[in-house]
Amino acid sequence: MANKKMMPISDADLGTTPIISMNEEQATRWFRDLGYSLGDFGGHAWKVSRLTKSGRGFWMPINEVQPLSPREIGRPKLDALAYWAVVDNPDEAQSMIPFIFFDHVKNYDASRLSEEHRRDVRLALNRFEYVQLESPDLLLNQGWDVSSRAAAQSGASLEPDRERFEANLRKRFTADPQLIVAARSGGNLAGYMCAHVIDGTAHVTRIMLNPEFRKQQVGSGLYWATLRHLGKSLNVHRVNVGLSYPDVFGVELFKYAMGATIVDLPVRSWALPPLAWRLRRTNPWAYVRIGGHDQRVRAAAEVEFESKFGPMPRSRMSTSATRT
């Protein structure tokens, strides 16, 4: 039986504003301008994870997927609670952390989507207008209300109050570069996605979906519009959308259906012993996410996931990292 011809999906017109790929020095200045607490180890800049901007947090290199040598990995501040970094030699790794990537983003098209999500993307592009924001006005007017309600439902990280949210938002539009794509319905904000690019890898740092538009494919449209736009840039080769959390089945399934794959990267990590002890016993998944050490927790979740939904889409890329 002949295969049905796959109909192409149109692109959202996000304009022609260039996407800037920062090097480590530029990214360090950018994060500092945004008010992040920064540290240094091994000649590289480190930042606190999005969980906290205080020095007493979880630390990672500015470019979180750049492989470092073991001598370049260590505690960036004396009061750091934990850190992890991708290591350039898998034999020196303490564990593997599964990242979710959209690889070869220049070739990202409808063939990467499941049949259901091809339909969802077409519906989203018909229902909503997708735009690249070049001023903070829309998010200043509606962003906090949408984000606070979305975070309450999803558990996503968010500033503690409107004042901090709006202050950080103004900084993001003052300190280039930042890609923010929004979905609008009339004058209403349906959702938005934020990303930045370091050394050819785009990092998606936030996606918020207005609960009033649930089950209307807003997220599918945001991913499609953003990935297609990033793929047109000469400076972007892949997109990092975070770590794999197979205990959060819905989120995992959505990303895979949109064409993402898992890449296990070798890491070296450390956590303050009392913190590691407590997390391992009270919140095993948090322990996995800061270091990947408790493989039994991760393996059990992956077995459950695959028993319900089939094999997880692992990349054919080598699990070893390469320096940029």
Side-chain angles (χ1 to χ4, degrees):
M1 181 176 178
N3 293 330
K4 292 182 179 178
K5 183 177 180 181
M6 186 182 299
M7 297 295 293
I9 300 175
S10 61
D11 289 332
D13 183 6
L14 300 186
T16 58
T17 301
I19 300 168
I20 300 172
S21 179
M22 299 178 282
N23 59 31
E24 184 176 322
E25 182 180 353
Q26 292 168 325
T28 301
R29 291 197 299 267
W30 186 71
F31 277 107
R32 184 177 292 115
D33 289 343
L34 292 179
Y36 275 75
S37 179
L38 301 180
D40 181 85
F41 191 91
H44 295 277
W46 294 60
K47 65 182 175 70
V48 176
S49 78
R50 62 182 179 173
L51 298 177
T52 173
K53 289 188 178 180
S54 71
R56 293 186 59 78
F58 301 90
W59 289 77
M60 64 190 69
I62 286 285
N63 182 353
E64 60 193 66
V65 298
Q66 178 187 2
L68 305 178
S69 69
R71 62 181 173 77
E72 295 173 319
I73 300 173
R75 199 175 184 181
K77 279 195 173 182
L78 292 178
D79 58 356
L81 297 178
Y83 65 79
W84 61 258
V86 176
V87 65
D88 59 3
N89 182 357
D91 293 335
E92 299 283 353
Q94 296 166 303
S95 59
M96 307 292 284
I97 285 186
F99 283 83
I100 301 181
F101 285 116
F102 287 87
D103 285 313
H104 311 295
V105 71
K106 294 185 185 308
N107 300 323
Y108 185 75
D109 61 18
S111 67
R112 302 269 288 271
L113 279 61
S114 70
E115 183 176 353
E116 176 185 358
H117 281 72
R118 288 196 291 272
R119 182 175 65 250
D120 287 349
V121 167
R122 290 189 180 96
L123 288 172
L125 294 178
N126 286 329
R127 287 173 173 164
F128 303 101
E129 178 189 14
Y130 291 88
V131 295
Q132 178 179 352
L133 298 184
E134 297 186 3
S135 83
D137 295 347
L138 178 63
L139 295 184
L140 286 174
N141 291 333
Q142 302 181 42
W144 172 252
D145 290 337
V146 168
S147 301
S148 57
R149 285 184 286 129
Q153 289 191 2
S154 67
S157 177
L158 185 67
E159 291 85 353
D161 52 50
R162 180 191 291 269
E163 183 178 1
R164 186 81 59 82
F165 173 84
E166 293 183 352
N168 286 349
L169 185 62
R170 289 188 176 92
K171 288 181 181 178
R172 289 182 182 276
F173 280 92
T174 301
D176 285 335
Q178 169 94 5
L179 174 65
I180 301 181
V181 178
R184 298 188 301 200
S185 177
N188 298 316
L189 176 65
Y192 66 96
M193 177 183 278
C194 304
H196 63 268
V197 182
I198 304 176
D199 290 332
T201 296
H203 302 268
V204 172
T205 55
R206 175 170 290 178
I207 179 168
M208 292 292 181
L209 306 178
N210 190 336
E212 292 182 10
F213 294 94
R214 283 192 65 203
K215 298 183 178 180
Q216 294 190 41
Q217 294 78 42
V218 180
S220 298
L222 279 172
Y223 264 85
W224 173 261
T226 302
L227 290 166
R228 290 284 291 177
H229 189 60
L230 288 168
K232 294 175 183 177
S233 171
L234 297 175
N235 301 320
V236 183
H237 308 290
R238 64 178 177 176
V239 181
N240 166 30
V241 292
L243 303 182
S244 171
Y245 302 160
D247 58 324
V248 188
F249 295 136
V251 174
E252 294 282 287
L253 281 173
F254 170 77
K255 292 177 181 178
Y256 304 154
M258 291 297 296
T261 54
I262 300 171
V263 179
D264 288 310
L265 295 183
V267 299
R268 292 184 67 85
S269 59
W270 172 89
L272 195 68
L275 173 67
W277 182 89
R278 180 178 180 183
L279 287 178
R280 188 168 188 175
R281 286 155 180 77
T282 63
N283 193 343
W285 264 107
Y287 184 68
V288 171
R289 288 165 188 164
I290 65 170
H293 293 304
D294 201 333
Q295 299 297 324
R296 291 173 300 174
V297 173
R298 178 181 160 196
E302 290 188 358
V303 167
E304 182 181 359
F305 183 98
E306 293 186 346
S307 70
K308 294 179 179 179
F309 307 112
M312 301 177 77
R314 297 197 178 277
S315 174
R316 295 179 182 176
M317 290 173 54
S318 168
T319 55
S320 63
T322 56
R323 283 185 176 270
T324 56

